[in-house]
Amino acid sequence: MNLLELKSIGHVYLGRAVLDGISLTVADGEMVALVGPSGCGKSTLAQIAAGLVTARHGQVTRSYRHSAFVFQEPRLLPWATVGANVGLGLAGVAASRREKCDKIAAACRRVSLDEADWQKFPSQLSGGMRQRTAIARALVGDPDFIYFDEPFTALDAALRRRMQDLVIACVANTGTGGLFITHDIQEALRICHRIAVLDRRGQGILDCVSVPDAPGQRSDELVFETARRLLRDHPLFSVVEECDERRIA
Ligand SMILES: Nc1ncnc2c1ncn2[C@@H]1O[C@H](COP(=O)(O)OP(=O)(O)OP(=O)(O)O)[C@@H](O)[C@H]1O
Ligand SMILES: [Mg+2]
């Protein structure tokens, strides 16, 4: 069963077409990576898929029960503590105060936030801690579909790997599906079942590459070698490297 179906999505910002003719599906228990040059419309597409932005053209069909979104920036409430921010992910969930506190504590532990930090405010956190708080807020409500928009960019290499493992385990253990935007091909190869490459002007998915074996069962050597080969040989992946504003800057 498909949890998400995008058909011929098109969008326009300020009279300029940002997306055109994008079709993509995500199946039950599948994590699909979305890669493409900076500014090609990845975040816009994810927000359209999640229902946060209404597409000008096309059709979105969502068959999941409950979704969560990890944005490119943490988007925490500055006047709320870590615990209260994570608790926002439980808004509307019928549970006792005790149960909610237990869920919040478990979510914080999953993203390696120490108990001493749960009463801190966002201004008292490092960039990586803020991002982990945002990830905990997404996980706390046990979503069956998660949108990740470059969620690990603020994390150091070790923590980034731990968070990648958390996503892999989440998908393998609970059948969660999702869309995972990243600029890091190795990250996409570690976490995802398929990689969709968006054209540099957001005009269609150039292609989808299926990654062999299940996420979590791929060795570092395989991931490294496959990334090197894709970037060298595959015309789709050269597009990700081209025109990246952050590289040019
Ligand atoms: N709210 C908005 N109003 C007007 N233009 C917008 C808006 N949001 C995005 N855009 C424009 O749409 C285009 C696609 O932006 P988007 O953020 O989706 O790209 P992206 O692929 O996620 O880039 P990055 O990899 O840098 O995050 C860009 O040209 C951007 O300037
Ligand atoms: Mg973006």
Side-chain angles (χ1 to χ4, degrees):
M1 185 184 81
N2 285 332
L3 292 182
L4 177 71
E5 273 185 51
L6 304 177
K7 266 196 205 137
S8 306
I9 297 295
H11 198 59
V12 174
Y13 274 132
L14 307 172
R16 191 172 72 85
V18 263
L19 293 169
D20 187 23
I22 308 288
S23 296
L24 184 69
T25 58
V26 182
D28 207 359
E30 184 182 40
M31 188 58 71
V32 175
L34 189 59
V35 303
S38 183
C40 72
K42 301 179 298 296
S43 296
T44 306
L45 185 64
Q47 287 172 24
I48 287 171
L52 303 174
V53 170
T54 305
R56 198 63 85 80
H57 309 284
Q59 196 187 338
V60 182
T61 309
R62 303 176 193 95
S63 307
Y64 49 73
R65 180 181 45 83
H66 168 55
S67 69
F69 205 117
V70 183
F71 293 94
Q72 205 161 351
E73 61 291 333
R75 299 199 186 183
L76 303 178
L77 293 180
W79 57 85
T81 61
V82 165
N85 268 291
V86 173
L88 291 171
L90 292 172
V93 171
S96 69
R97 198 179 147 74
R98 182 72 259 151
E99 285 167 340
K100 286 191 176 184
C101 285
D102 289 347
K103 278 178 181 285
I104 291 167
C108 287
R109 287 199 187 95
R110 282 175 85 184
V111 298
S112 310
L113 281 168
D114 292 336
E115 202 161 341
D117 299 320
W118 300 354
Q119 290 308 315
K120 288 183 179 167
F121 291 90
S123 62
Q124 299 170 312
L125 303 175
S126 69
M129 289 160 83
R130 281 186 213 128
Q131 197 58 5
R132 279 183 283 147
T133 305
I135 296 165
R137 180 182 58 196
L139 296 178
V140 73
D142 297 323
D144 57 341
F145 197 96
I146 310 181
Y147 296 91
F148 290 100
D149 191 351
E150 301 195 45
F152 305 148
T153 40
L155 306 182
D156 66 51
L159 208 45
R160 192 178 173 119
R161 201 178 159 89
R162 276 227 306 273
M163 293 301 113
Q164 290 171 354
D165 289 340
L166 181 64
V167 175
I168 292 168
C170 195
V171 172
N173 299 337
T174 64
T176 307
L179 205 54
F180 195 102
I181 298 174
T182 179
H183 277 269
D184 182 344
I185 303 291
Q186 290 197 37
E187 180 164 85
L189 286 167
R190 273 201 93 216
I191 293 181
C192 298
H193 298 87
R194 270 189 303 137
I195 306 179
V197 187
L198 207 58
D199 171 86
R200 81 170 66 89
R201 281 179 293 278
Q203 294 173 342
I205 301 279
L206 286 176
D207 200 358
C208 276
V209 176
S210 290
V211 188
D213 299 337
Q217 291 173 8
R218 302 173 189 137
S219 67
D220 287 348
E221 291 73 22
L222 177 88
V223 167
F224 183 78
E225 255 316 300
T226 312
R228 203 175 62 87
R229 198 164 35 75
L230 286 172
L231 287 169
R232 190 193 58 204
D233 300 339
H234 206 301
L236 298 174
F237 287 90
S238 62
V239 169
V240 182
E241 296 285 287
E242 272 174 22
C243 311
D244 187 334
E245 286 156 14
R246 281 170 292 199
R247 281 166 182 268
I248 292 163

